Amino acid sequence: PELGGEELGRAHHLQPLLPGIPDEVELTRRTKGATQYYFLLNHKNERVTVNPGPGLYDLLENRDAPAGFTLPPFEYKVLRKR
């Protein structure tokens, strides 16, 4: 049987980079030394709610990122793990 992305990830014991990120949002992580940066891009033509949880800093707004927020259509966020 063919496995979907979520099933395949569970079968190989993979964990998401961040929790609460819907399929419409592309998530990429880059690391420099011990610092982790997350790039989120909404590919959908409507607002999407993301819930990555606490402990992130919004580098575009120069403030702590809320645990959950709405990403407008085709917009992006750059977050740093605190």
Side-chain angles (χ1 to χ4, degrees):
E2 191 171 312
L3 297 177
E6 224 173 278
E7 294 87 9
L8 186 61
R10 278 196 298 274
H12 291 280
H13 307 287
L14 300 176
Q15 299 293 320
L17 294 176
L18 290 174
I21 308 298
D23 290 339
E24 302 85 14
V25 176
E26 179 181 345
L27 173 63
T28 305
R29 179 180 64 189
R30 298 286 182 261
T31 304
K32 183 174 183 180
T35 306
Q36 296 179 30
Y37 299 92
Y38 296 93
F39 300 83
L40 290 81
L41 173 61
N42 179 7
H43 285 282
K44 201 168 184 179
N45 192 18
E46 58 187 64
R47 300 173 80 76
V48 175
T49 300
V50 296
N51 296 292
L56 297 165
Y57 187 81
D58 187 326
L59 292 170
L60 301 176
E61 296 184 19
N62 290 318
R63 64 181 182 94
D64 289 336
F69 54 88
T70 301
L71 204 52
F74 307 110
E75 288 293 319
Y76 63 94
K77 287 274 187 193
V78 180
L79 306 174
R80 180 182 69 217
K81 190 151 192 149
R82 289 184 301 157

